[in-house]
Amino acid sequence: MKLTAPEVLKYAGDLLGKLARDLTISDWHVVIEVAAEDLPEVALRLRDDKRLSCKYLSTIIGVDYEEWMETLYMLRSQDHSVPVRLRVKLDREQPEVPSVAYIWSGANWHEREAYDFFGIQFQGHPDLRHILTREDMDSFPLRKDARPHRKRRRSGQVTGMDEAVRLPGEPDRRERS
Amino acid sequence: MTAAEGTTGPSSSILHLEEMVLNMGPQHPSTHGVLRLVLHLDGEMLISVDPVLGYLHRGFEKLAENRTYLQYLAMISRLDYLSGIFMEWSYVRSVEALMEIEVPKRAEYIRVIIGELNRIISHHVAIGDFMLNLGAVTPFFWVFRDREDVMDLLEMVTGQRMMYNFMRVGGVRWDLPEDFEAGCRKFLKEFPGRIDEYEQLITENEIFLSRTWGMGIIKPYEALDYGISGPNARASGVDWDLRREVGYSVYPEFDFDVPLGQHGDCFDRYKCRIEEMRQSVRIVEQALDSLCGGPVNLKLPPMLRPPAGDLYRAVESPRGEFGVYLVSKGGLRPWRLKLRDPTFSAISMIPKLTPGYKIADVVAIAGSLDLLMGGVDR
């Protein structure tokens, strides 16, 4: 069964009804915009539907647009080759979105990565901690307002990095520079 | 929360004795780079595993935001250093799609030839390292002997043995040198015989079979659930290959099979890679036959300025779906660049796959997944 992007778009529109805020085709991907609170419901419907059957979550992407933040869920089905992309807009000051780790097991680590880089809080995530950066990292590096480590050190702000690198009894190198 | 609470593997014994925590890595030779596995053991049996990543984190996604589109091309093949061509390919595809550039036909053929040769040497390392993990040293030297031949071909074309920096937005850097085709055809003629040699040495080896047969089984639905792609998923019978499904570049013109496994165990994952090498030989042969004349790149200005927009482009790398999500705001630098690496998903499966096995089997399972930390840690 091969579906085209307009067919998937129409079918997803029928399936989701009012849950989908916006449905578009961008570059042969079907992009569905949903509200953060509706995400688990939409995800479950897309995964369990017989025709769309989006059983494969490719990745979760965080984007910081300065005015708002976004998480994107790249979905795909084995039965038709039209990728489906879920788009959730988040408040930049308090980025929170329900976790989908119980819907796709692979989402677990992708959500940890988005938390690591953007500070997006995935509510209900089983194990939300840093994955690629240090455990005591106190800033979210891919946010547009994140400042490089060196500049922060010049300005006298203490970071977790400086404290952790220093061994007990070793002089504080920050005082010299 | 510790990993022991988070995962529930099959309990190794009824008599639960003292739990031992053992660090495997980050400098362990069988972790393929700098992966650290925190093993929780009951005797020699595994209770749970907690992979720790990030030892090779170089901030590739952040660095993209501070470089022009062309500057970033020089570093992206450092990402997954065994299959650098695919990293470059997926990146230039995304920029080309954003700028709506049509790539010359000859350039597409050259991309396919170089890409498939790169796939062969990547699988060489995958198989060699896997065998080394299992304690077999000879196959490692055999595959590296043949890998050297392909590396010579790639060096002839790109000037580099590993970090190619060969793709350009709108084509490739240079045309193929004159003596490349003869050298490549000679290699393609000899290589299937050498794959048979590997199979004689490995596939029917009793020790190898007992170490891999039925070990670390990934069910097809689990592979999809965890986002596993590439040979790891195809070994489980997930019939998905982006070269065929999406049909990017000139792949639809070629006749090739997508090898599938039946059981999804370590042996099938090895076997899938062997078969993929044979298919790569077929593709390169066809690409050489249909190589047409014409320019190999478009003369574009060094300062590219793609229009505002966002898109995702993926290629079938030797480890699975490698994708680039690119957001442009119309400036000289990408606004956001996300790299989707297949190994990241494969490692997230290890805590699920390994409990109940012995330490030596963890090494076998991790080796069969063909892990490479350069792409995972980014």
Side-chain angles (χ1 to χ4, degrees):
Chain A
M1 184 180 63
K2 287 280 170 196
L3 294 174
T4 59
E7 281 169 355
V8 172
L9 182 84
K10 186 174 172 301
Y11 193 73
D14 296 342
L15 180 75
L16 299 175
K18 279 185 185 164
L19 289 175
R21 280 188 179 175
D22 188 30
L23 282 152
T24 45
I25 293 177
S26 151
D27 177 49
W28 102 75
H29 291 232
V30 171
V31 184
I32 305 171
E33 194 182 321
V34 294
E37 61 270 20
D38 296 334
L39 179 71
E41 174 67 22
V42 171
L44 269 177
R45 282 196 197 180
L46 287 177
R47 187 193 70 173
D48 294 337
D49 184 70
K50 281 213 168 59
R51 277 181 77 186
L52 292 180
S53 69
C54 297
K55 297 222 180 335
Y56 175 93
L57 175 76
S58 169
T59 185
I60 296 174
I61 301 170
V63 189
D64 181 5
Y65 280 102
E66 281 189 322
E67 294 90 36
W68 74 92
M69 274 205 203
E70 263 182 25
T71 46
L72 299 162
Y73 300 76
M74 314 299 254
L75 307 176
R76 210 182 59 194
S77 161
Q78 234 200 314
D79 304 332
H80 58 87
S81 39
V82 182
V84 177
R85 195 187 299 171
L86 290 179
R87 183 191 290 267
V88 183
K89 281 191 182 176
L90 306 175
D91 177 22
R92 198 168 179 285
E93 301 307 315
Q94 230 181 359
E96 285 182 345
V97 64
S99 168
V100 291
Y102 68 96
I103 300 173
W104 296 281
S105 307
N108 187 325
W109 279 26
H110 292 299
E111 286 181 349
R112 275 176 69 184
E113 189 196 315
Y115 161 72
D116 205 355
F117 287 157
F118 291 94
I120 297 167
Q121 295 290 333
F122 291 91
Q123 294 152 335
H125 189 282
D127 187 15
L128 198 64
R129 58 198 161 98
H130 292 279
I131 187 162
L132 290 180
T133 58
R134 293 175 60 97
E135 285 158 26
D136 54 357
M137 187 86 173
D138 59 351
S139 70
F140 301 111
L142 277 177
R143 281 192 185 208
K144 288 288 170 182
D145 55 3
R147 292 166 67 198
H149 179 57
R150 199 182 302 141
K151 280 185 192 163
R152 288 202 303 177
R153 196 157 71 168
R154 275 195 201 130
S155 68
Q157 272 178 287
V158 180
T159 65
M161 190 84 83
D162 293 333
E163 293 302 313
V165 167
R166 200 148 50 94
L167 298 169
E170 201 187 11
D172 189 351
R173 291 200 194 87
R174 277 175 296 139
E175 286 165 9
R176 272 188 279 156
S177 58
Chain B
M1 188 173 102
T2 63
E5 295 162 39
T7 48
T8 49
S11 180
S12 51
S13 65
I14 303 162
L15 237 177
H16 188 73
L17 301 172
E18 194 182 349
E19 182 185 311
M20 188 172 83
V21 179
L22 186 75
N23 255 317
M24 192 165 109
Q27 275 91 22
H28 193 275
S30 69
T31 52
H32 300 232
V34 279
L35 168 65
R36 176 173 155 219
L37 295 171
V38 182
L39 310 174
H40 296 256
L41 299 162
D42 176 8
E44 211 186 337
M45 290 291 185
L46 215 75
I47 303 166
S48 68
V49 188
D50 189 17
V52 182
L53 314 177
Y55 290 94
L56 215 55
H57 180 56
R58 291 149 290 172
F60 263 84
E61 293 175 7
K62 187 72 182 175
L63 286 168
E65 295 170 12
N66 301 316
R67 272 158 180 72
T68 64
Y69 287 90
L70 199 62
Q71 280 175 335
Y72 191 62
L73 199 49
M75 41 183 294
I76 194 163
S77 53
R78 271 85 176 157
L79 189 64
D80 183 344
Y81 36 84
L82 290 179
S83 54
I85 284 288
F86 293 91
M87 315 295 114
E88 295 171 19
W89 199 348
S90 128
Y91 173 70
V92 296
R93 277 190 74 221
S94 62
V95 181
E96 280 158 6
L98 210 53
M99 296 180 74
E100 295 177 0
I101 291 173
E102 184 88 12
V103 181
K105 197 87 190 226
R106 186 175 171 83
E108 291 283 18
Y109 285 120
I110 295 175
R111 284 180 180 183
V112 170
I113 292 169
I114 300 300
E116 293 303 321
L117 289 177
N118 199 186
R119 187 185 309 277
I120 290 174
I121 59 173
S122 178
H123 284 343
H124 268 148
V125 180
I127 292 166
D129 272 2
F130 179 32
M131 295 311 294
L132 208 56
N133 285 0
L134 296 175
V137 184
T138 317
F140 185 76
F141 288 107
W142 285 32
V143 296
F144 267 63
R145 175 198 66 193
D146 297 342
R147 184 169 182 257
E148 208 59 32
D149 292 350
V150 193
M151 296 262 256
D152 286 345
L153 288 172
L154 288 172
E155 192 182 352
M156 203 190 276
V157 181
T158 63
Q160 299 268 27
R161 283 162 58 85
M162 275 172 92
M163 319 297 180
Y164 306 104
N165 191 10
F166 183 61
M167 299 272 178
R168 287 290 179 275
V169 177
V172 293
R173 195 170 174 195
W174 298 307
D175 206 343
L176 298 173
E178 272 176 22
D179 46 353
F180 173 79
E181 191 174 335
C184 191
R185 283 200 192 272
K186 182 167 169 282
F187 168 76
L188 293 177
K189 209 173 159 201
E190 289 171 5
F191 188 56
R194 297 199 192 159
I195 302 177
D196 294 339
E197 279 180 21
Y198 307 154
E199 291 226 72
Q200 278 172 12
L201 186 65
I202 305 168
T203 311
E204 284 160 31
N205 184 310
E206 183 96 21
I207 304 169
F208 175 69
L209 284 178
S210 59
R211 290 290 303 275
T212 56
W213 196 264
M215 286 290 182
I217 295 176
I218 304 178
K219 297 267 189 308
Y221 65 88
E222 285 175 348
L224 288 173
D225 194 28
Y226 275 86
I228 311 272
S229 53
N232 292 336
R234 286 194 285 274
S236 306
V238 177
D239 193 4
W240 185 273
D241 188 319
L242 287 171
R243 289 175 292 175
R244 190 190 61 199
E245 302 299 334
V246 177
Y248 59 92
S249 190
V250 284
Y251 277 114
E253 293 178 16
F254 303 133
D255 176 31
F256 63 97
D257 299 328
V258 177
L260 293 179
Q262 289 177 334
H263 312 289
D265 55 3
C266 291
F267 179 81
D268 276 5
R269 288 195 280 278
Y270 150 79
K271 188 76 180 157
C272 255
R273 293 203 168 84
I274 287 277
E275 295 304 323
E276 275 194 13
M277 282 158 79
R278 294 187 199 276
Q279 298 304 322
S280 290
V281 171
R282 278 177 72 189
I283 295 172
V284 178
E285 271 174 352
Q286 294 173 55
L288 281 175
D289 288 339
S290 47
L291 198 62
C292 57
V296 292
N297 60 26
L298 305 169
K299 294 277 177 270
L300 293 173
M303 290 303 210
L304 300 173
R305 207 185 275 271
D310 64 318
L311 49 75
Y312 178 79
R313 281 286 182 279
V315 295
E316 185 72 32
S317 91
R319 287 168 192 78
E321 175 192 350
F322 182 86
V324 168
Y325 178 73
L326 186 62
V327 181
S328 162
K329 277 198 168 182
L332 286 171
R333 296 172 173 85
W335 181 259
R336 164 93 168 102
L337 186 100
K338 157 83 188 176
L339 304 158
R340 192 268 174 199
D341 187 82
T343 319
F344 187 79
S345 300
I347 293 183
S348 76
M349 186 111 205
I350 288 184
K352 161 100 177 139
L353 276 181
T354 48
Y357 286 109
K358 290 184 175 158
I359 301 178
D361 297 327
V362 176
V363 175
I365 292 168
S368 74
L369 288 169
D370 187 13
L371 309 177
L372 194 108
M373 296 311 288
V376 175
D377 288 345
R378 274 160 286 168

